[in-house]
Amino acid sequence: MTHAGSAALLAQMRKLHPAAIDLSLDRTWRLLEALGRPQDHLPPVIHIAGTNGKGSTQAMLRAGLSAVGLKVHAYTSPHLVRFHERIVLAGEDISEPALCDLLGRTLAANNGRPATFFEATTCSALAAFAATPADWLLLEVGMGGRMDTTNVVAHPALTMITPVALDHQAFLGDRIEEIAFEKAGILKRGVPCIVGRQQDAALEVIERQAARLGVPLQVRGEHWHVRQEHERLVFEDETGLLDLPLPALPGPHQIDNAGMVLAALRHLGFGETACEAAVTQATWPARMQRLRRGPLADLAPGAELWLDGGHNRHASEAVAATLRSLPDRPTFLIVGLLNNRDPAEILTPLASLAAGVTAVAIPDEPDGATPEDLSAAAQGLGLPAATADSVEAALRAIVQETPSARILICGSLYLAGSVLRENG
């Protein structure tokens, strides 16, 4: 079948429910029942929630487990270039024929009843994971945790909560405590949980829920510690010390993500081979990714071109920290956002580092913010700002003025996916 086959089936799934997000597990339980309860037939599951860092954490775990010969399923969202990226079966993106068969079976089982796109596709993924042998399943929460479609595994081997920050407030609550409560919804009675760096208010909520359920916690700063020391990563827990290379994924925040992964691997009994591979062999596109080749990169041969899909203030602060860790260079931003994002929230952490902003529309995205609104927001922060018809046009304009610029394309995973498609 051609790619259009899965595209047509995915389009059918988008029409099953009028809302893109409708947090509830009722429709999920019904559909899973119709699919034969695949959630009961999965390999050991590591369930990952949190506001930022879920994808990087999953990528490191996958690298570490794969390096010791284990077959790893992985589920993530959204995708960047092709939907197939969301469903990794034993180390490989699901094939087009397998995806078409899977989606067709889910649509037939659902029989036209209401289900959001995420519910239908996640249930499809669980069916694929149950039917394909593997040693582990890395299951990333879509939004929140408590009412997320992935929260149907009764007995995961391990849960993980990456840093919690304000995001998706319309669905999860306006206070950090409310959001932490939703994330802590993945905790299961007696199942250990690795907890990353948290604000005190969030950690109190997680600890309270863990105490209620008898969940053994492994908390950063209490049960394990991680730091950068002399261009090395140093990790310590009750079993001893690891001295490893710095993470392959760029940015100071990856030290913390690596710490979570090392805590998880050590808790599960894996040794230094898996731990070092997790840190050094992980790849994760559009997270401070350096674009060195491709049509867009070729437009700016004397420039540094970076891509990041972070889309909230916490992610933007991590990007800013990464930029500060790089050698000085005039830095320009090419920014595109969804219209449900506050441009000032994204741009403020970057404002002191940027020599200018060029605002663009996200291609083929009806819910994108207009370049004019983004440009006005940047100017409101005191930044020189312009608009461009495309990322390519923005790049050309920047390198014409500053050939050796550092250029960061940022603001949205949807923009990042478009850039990766365009850049080949």
Side-chain angles (χ1 to χ4, degrees):
M1 280 181 131
T2 65
H3 183 57
S6 63
L9 293 166
L10 291 166
Q12 288 183 48
M13 286 186 166
R14 291 189 189 279
K15 296 175 182 175
L16 292 172
H17 194 290
I21 299 168
D22 182 6
L23 295 180
S24 163
L25 286 174
D26 295 344
R27 294 176 300 274
T28 297
W29 288 121
R30 174 188 51 71
L31 181 50
L32 288 172
E33 200 68 39
L35 287 167
R37 298 185 61 85
Q39 74 275 16
D40 296 340
H41 306 285
L42 299 170
V45 171
I46 300 176
H47 198 191
I48 308 168
T51 304
N52 290 304
K54 296 190 298 291
S56 298
T57 298
Q58 188 199 81
M60 290 191 215
L61 277 171
R62 185 175 159 193
L65 295 170
S66 299
V68 291
L70 298 174
K71 293 184 177 178
V72 183
H73 293 332
Y75 183 63
T76 189
S77 63
H79 59 278
L80 285 167
V81 179
R82 301 171 76 230
F83 179 89
H84 307 60
E85 299 163 28
R86 298 187 184 208
I87 304 174
V88 174
L89 297 175
E92 301 291 336
D93 290 359
I94 191 169
S95 69
E96 173 67 9
L99 181 59
C100 287
D101 178 65
L102 180 68
L103 298 177
R105 284 190 286 116
T106 301
L107 284 164
N110 187 61
N111 197 27
R113 288 170 291 195
T116 69
F117 180 76
F118 187 72
E119 290 164 354
T121 53
T122 300
C123 290
S124 300
L126 293 173
F129 296 139
T132 307
D135 299 296
W136 288 93
L137 166 57
L138 309 179
L139 189 61
E140 181 186 323
V141 166
M143 180 188 293
R146 184 175 65 93
M147 301 299 288
D148 187 75
T149 305
T150 64
N151 199 24
V152 293
V153 180
H155 301 289
L158 187 69
T159 62
M160 303 177 73
I161 302 178
T162 70
V164 174
L166 292 176
D167 198 16
H168 301 299
Q169 289 97 313
F171 300 98
L172 303 180
D174 293 324
R175 297 164 57 242
I176 196 74
E177 293 89 345
E178 293 175 291
I179 295 176
F181 176 76
E182 296 297 328
K183 308 294 184 185
I186 71 164
L187 298 179
K188 300 294 184 295
R189 186 169 297 280
V191 175
C193 179
I194 309 296
V195 182
R197 182 192 293 271
Q198 304 294 344
Q199 299 176 42
D200 290 345
L203 183 58
E204 286 175 14
V205 172
I206 294 167
E207 289 180 333
R208 189 162 59 245
Q209 291 297 102
R212 190 174 65 84
L213 292 169
V215 170
L217 294 182
Q218 290 280 317
V219 179
R220 185 197 189 281
E222 296 180 31
H223 305 95
W224 55 271
H225 305 264
V226 66
R227 63 186 183 274
Q228 180 175 338
E229 191 174 289
H230 306 304
E231 298 305 308
R232 300 282 290 178
L233 183 149
V234 178
F235 175 89
E236 293 178 82
D237 62 10
E238 62 186 12
T239 63
L241 182 144
L242 283 173
D243 181 355
L244 298 171
L246 291 177
L249 300 179
H253 58 290
Q254 297 295 357
I255 300 289
D256 280 348
N257 291 335
M260 287 198 68
V261 171
L262 296 173
L265 291 172
R266 300 259 280 197
H267 178 80
L268 294 169
F270 291 97
E272 192 158 344
T273 299
C275 290
E276 182 160 345
V279 172
T280 61
Q281 296 180 22
T283 60
W284 194 233
R287 278 72 175 184
M288 281 309 288
Q289 178 183 0
R290 178 83 183 269
L291 300 180
R292 298 178 185 274
R293 291 176 294 278
L296 290 176
D298 292 345
L299 292 175
E304 274 184 21
L305 186 58
W306 295 81
L307 177 67
D308 189 83
H311 49 270
N312 55 41
R313 187 183 183 103
H314 188 262
S316 195
E317 288 169 349
V319 169
T322 305
L323 291 174
R324 287 191 198 96
S325 73
L326 300 173
D328 282 347
R329 200 164 182 166
T331 299
F332 295 82
L333 309 180
I334 299 175
V335 180
L337 300 179
L338 294 179
N339 58 21
N340 63 354
R341 297 288 169 179
D342 178 359
E345 192 175 277
I346 306 295
L347 291 173
T348 296
L350 299 166
S352 65
L353 302 166
V357 172
T358 306
V360 297
I362 302 173
D364 304 315
E365 179 48 69
D367 296 323
T370 68
E372 291 73 23
D373 285 348
L374 295 182
S375 176
Q379 289 171 352
L381 295 172
L383 285 163
T387 64
D389 293 335
S390 65
V391 169
E392 179 182 337
L395 270 175
R396 290 185 187 279
I398 292 168
V399 297
Q400 186 172 353
E401 292 292 325
T402 313
S404 62
R406 175 177 292 131
I407 302 167
L408 171 65
I409 306 168
C410 62
S412 168
L413 274 174
Y414 296 98
L415 177 64
S418 170
V419 167
L420 289 175
R421 281 189 291 274
E422 190 175 347
N423 198 49

